[in-house]
Amino acid sequence: MVSDRARLRNVQALRAVAAVAVVLAHLGGTTGIEDTWLAGDYGWLRPLHFPGNAGVDLFFVISGLIMVVTASRMTAGTASAGTFLYRRATRIYPVYWVATLPVLALFLLAPQMVNSSASAPPRILESLLLFPQPGAPLLLVGWTLTFELYFYLVFALALLLPPRRRPLVLGAWGAVIVALAFAFPTTTQPWLALVSSPLSLEFLFGAVVGWLILQRRFVSPVAVTVVGGIAATAAIWLGGEAVTGGWYRAVVVGGLLAVFVYGVVGLEATDRLVAPRWLQTLGDASYSLYLWHVLILAAMGRFLLARLPDNAAVHGLALVSTFAVVIVGSSIAYRLIERPLLRLFRGRQKRPGQAPASIADRTPAANASGHSHAPK
């Protein structure tokens, strides 16, 4: 499996699932596009609002898995750590900045139109650097990328050690997270809230799955996938608002999703099931889908959906059409913006300790890696 790390096709498909879940979360709910801009009180997508948050948790688990697998052959030392951070920074920031520019322009012209429901107005510098801040960043989903960068910094520290000792760093980090989470359960200080959030434990769950992949330890993939999928779905669907933050989200939802991901990877590794190509292709564009969907939804809501009449047929057609535009628009952004930027930075001189190109370079978390609600 180590030699096949660029072929985690089921993981790529799961990224598509995660991104679509986030889109559905922003389409439905009392603060979603449906209730905000479409006439009538139909609320067809409201039940998907809270469950859609779990797309973020799935992204975090996948991120932990991918980082462990792709870094398995990187030698210990500062060169590997520096290369890792360079690749992660150039993977996350350029596309994110391009997607943030329209929001920044709007914020400078009409600040009341950007994240007006957040606890504090967005800060420009913190938003661009993806640093913690009291409110939401300019680009709403950027808060999850802040968690991603936090994880990358910790993982870079682990790369200073030989592969067999890296789990010690991640394990110690997990212990620190738990200790800080209990010591500062309600802190409002942005940096402390980041480092003490139990949500970061989801990266560690994914790292465990990555380690199991490297060891080729796949136990009953079919049973694990079915049981893990059912349990995760039940926890997500029944969790309600608890899915948006806290220990329930991090441990229950994140843990069960890790079990499900482990099973799904096992299905591919044992040649039982590979996701369809179209879903893998959507997974390739999942970072762009993640970044651009909020802007596309907001633009469609303000300039088109708000002008539609109160009619059930129109309402349903509007939802389907909006979803389709988001998928198509994000796919175009992937081909015209994300891929050229990635080629630009990957085309530069290779650095010492650089790992081979892998699936990790095709999306976050981002990449990606979100939802409008910050973790509680």
Side-chain angles (χ1 to χ4, degrees):
M1 197 66 186
V2 178
S3 62
D4 261 353
R5 57 185 169 178
R7 297 177 58 240
L8 293 173
R9 294 164 293 183
N10 282 359
V11 171
Q12 199 68 350
L14 286 177
R15 282 173 159 160
V17 173
V20 168
V22 173
V23 173
L24 293 175
H26 287 146
L27 274 171
T30 56
T31 59
I33 293 299
E34 180 183 22
D35 281 11
T36 302
W37 296 109
L38 283 173
D41 187 26
Y42 298 95
W44 291 341
L45 296 184
R46 285 176 198 163
L48 300 179
H49 178 66
F50 289 129
N53 282 270
V56 173
D57 307 278
L58 183 54
F59 268 134
F60 284 178
V61 170
I62 290 173
S63 183
L65 179 163
I66 292 297
M67 293 305 105
V68 167
V69 172
T70 57
S72 62
R73 290 183 177 177
M74 296 185 76
T75 57
T78 55
S80 290
T83 295
F84 173 81
L85 289 176
Y86 171 81
R87 292 179 68 87
R88 293 296 91 208
T90 55
R91 182 69 191 91
I92 294 294
Y93 277 122
V95 187
Y96 168 76
W97 285 334
V98 173
T100 298
L101 284 178
V103 189
L104 175 59
L106 179 62
F107 179 71
L108 294 176
L109 294 173
Q112 73 280 1
M113 295 180 64
V114 177
N115 299 344
S116 58
S117 61
S119 58
R123 297 178 178 178
I124 295 177
L125 182 60
E126 284 87 341
S127 295
L128 294 177
L129 295 178
L130 288 169
F131 286 174
Q133 57 181 299
L138 288 167
L139 187 60
L140 203 57
V141 297
W143 71 266
T144 61
L145 299 180
T146 300
F147 276 85
E148 288 278 352
L149 292 177
Y150 173 38
F151 170 57
Y152 296 157
L153 287 173
V154 174
F155 198 84
L157 291 176
L159 290 177
L160 297 175
L161 301 176
R164 68 181 183 278
R165 296 187 180 275
R166 290 168 188 171
L168 296 177
V169 175
L170 297 181
W173 181 47
V176 169
I177 292 171
V178 173
L180 291 176
F182 278 107
F184 305 98
T186 58
T187 181
T188 56
Q189 205 288 326
W191 286 91
L192 184 56
L194 171 67
V195 299
S196 65
S197 172
L199 200 60
S200 293
L201 294 174
E202 294 178 340
F203 294 107
L204 293 180
F205 296 152
V208 172
V209 176
W211 181 81
L212 292 173
I213 292 173
L214 293 175
Q215 302 300 314
R216 291 196 59 83
R217 296 184 180 180
F218 300 106
V219 180
S220 304
V222 175
V224 171
T225 300
V226 172
V227 173
I230 293 175
T233 300
I236 292 167
W237 194 261
L238 299 176
E241 193 172 0
V243 178
T244 64
W247 289 101
Y248 181 88
R249 179 180 192 176
V251 177
V252 178
V253 174
L256 291 174
L257 283 173
V259 173
F260 175 67
V261 171
Y262 169 64
V264 170
V265 175
L267 292 178
E268 179 183 353
T270 56
D271 297 322
R272 285 179 169 85
L273 178 68
V274 176
R277 182 58 197 166
W278 64 266
L279 195 58
Q280 297 176 47
T281 300
L282 184 58
D284 291 344
S286 60
Y287 189 34
S288 288
L289 176 57
Y290 186 74
L291 291 179
W292 289 98
H293 80 274
V294 173
L295 294 108
I296 296 174
L297 289 176
M300 289 196 66
R302 182 173 296 276
F303 298 109
L304 176 61
L305 303 183
R307 305 174 186 275
L308 299 178
D310 182 357
N311 177 276
V314 171
H315 188 94
L317 182 61
L319 291 176
V320 173
S321 300
T322 299
F323 181 79
V325 170
V326 166
I327 298 297
V328 173
S330 299
S331 298
I332 293 174
Y334 166 67
R335 294 184 178 276
L336 298 185
I337 299 174
E338 181 180 347
R339 287 206 308 190
L341 283 174
L342 187 58
R343 284 196 297 267
L344 173 66
F345 287 100
R346 290 299 178 263
R348 296 180 181 276
Q349 183 178 2
K350 291 187 177 182
R351 305 187 176 198
Q354 181 170 326
S358 69
I359 193 174
D361 295 323
R362 298 207 289 269
T363 186
N367 64 233
S369 248
H371 187 259
S372 56
H373 297 308
K376 298 178 181 176

